[in-house]
Amino acid sequence: MSYGMKCFLLCSTLTFCALTPMGFATPRLNIEPLPKRITTDQSITLKIRLEWPQTEDPYEINSLEPKLENLVLENQNQSQETGAIVSQTLLYEFRPLSAGTAVIYPFEISYRKSDAEPWIPILIPERTIKVVSNFLSKMILIWLGIAIGLSVGIFAGLKGWKLLKTREAIRNAPPPDPKQRVYAKAEESITTFTSPDSKEKMTHWSNQLRTVLVTYYDVSSKTTTSAEVLSALKAKGLPTGEWNEISRLFEQLTEMQFSQQDIPAYDLDRLQKSLLQYVRGKIIIGN
C-alpha cells in the first residue's frame, strides 16, 4: 500500500471518529401536527419537543419567535421533564386575526452544551392553516339548539297530552262491575282453599259455584241449594250448551260429595280445573 493511500485512510478514520459522537449527540425533534382548519375564535398551540438520553450532558435550548402571517403569538413557554430520557417541550400559542390563510414561517431552535460551544440550529418547517369564519358554526349551534328545544317541547307536549287523555279516560270510564269482584273472589277461593277432607272441598267448591251462578244469572238470593239454583236456571230457559255445562259441574260435585270411597287426587284436580275454567270464563266475558 502506498504512503498516500495510508494517509488517506488515516484521515478518513479520524474524521469519522470525530463526527460520529456529534451525530449521536443531536437531540431528537418531535413536532405535534397542527389542525389544517380552524375558526376565527379558535386558538392553536404549536408543540415542539426535543429529547435526548439522560446520560448525555444537559443541553441549553434557545427558541426564537417565529415570523407570522394572519396570526399573533399570545403565549410562549418551555418545560422540561427528566428521566431516562430528558424532554424539553416548547409551546407556542397562536390566535388568528381574521378569516383566510394563516402561516407560521420556518424558524430555528438552537441548542448547545456549553457556553464555549457554538449554537447549532434546528429548522422548524413552515405551517399553513386555513382560518374560517365562526359565523356558520354559531348558526349551526343556534339552529341545533332550536331543534333540540323544539324536540323537547314536542316530546313534553305529547307526553302531557297522553297523560291528559289517560286521566280523561279514567274519569269517563264506567264504574267497575261489582259482579267481577264476586267472580274473582270465587276463583281465588277455589284455588287457595285447602282441606285434608275431600268432602269438605266439594262442599266449599259447590258453594262458590252457586255464588257465581246466582250473581251471573241474577237468580234470587233466596235460592240456597244446588237444586234450587238449577231449577231457577232451567226456568230462565238457558241455551242448551250453557245448561249442559252447569248441570254437568253440579253432577260431578254431587257425585264426589256423596261418594262412599276416597276420591283420587287426579279426579279432584280435574274437577278443580273445570270449575276454575268456568269461573274465569265469567271474569273474561263479564255481564
Side-chain angles (χ1 to χ4, degrees), residues 66-87:
K67 182 181 177 182
L68 306 172
E69 180 180 330
N70 197 25
L71 288 173
V72 60
L73 180 63
E74 296 233 300
N75 191 22
Q76 177 181 349
N77 59 65
Q78 296 186 31
S79 63
Q80 188 176 89
E81 295 180 7
T82 58
I85 298 295
V86 180
S87 176

Side-chain angles (χ1 to χ4, degrees), residues 205-214 249-250 253 275 278:
W205 291 352
S206 181
N207 291 337
Q208 296 304 315
L209 178 60
R210 283 201 306 272
T211 300
V212 170
L213 292 172
V214 167
L249 290 173
F250 273 121
L253 283 166
L275 289 169
Y278 181 82

Side-chain angles (χ1 to χ4, degrees), residues 1-13:
M1 183 181 294
S2 65
Y3 176 78
M5 181 61 71
K6 290 181 179 179
C7 289
F8 174 77
L9 290 175
L10 178 61
C11 291
S12 299
T13 303

Side-chain angles (χ1 to χ4, degrees), residues 121-142:
I122 299 176
L123 181 66
I124 306 302
E126 180 178 296
R127 296 289 189 276
T128 302
I129 305 99
K130 182 69 174 178
V131 182
V132 297
S133 174
N134 63 347
F135 175 77
L136 182 59
S137 300
K138 287 184 177 179
M139 288 301 298
I140 291 174
L141 290 175
I142 291 172

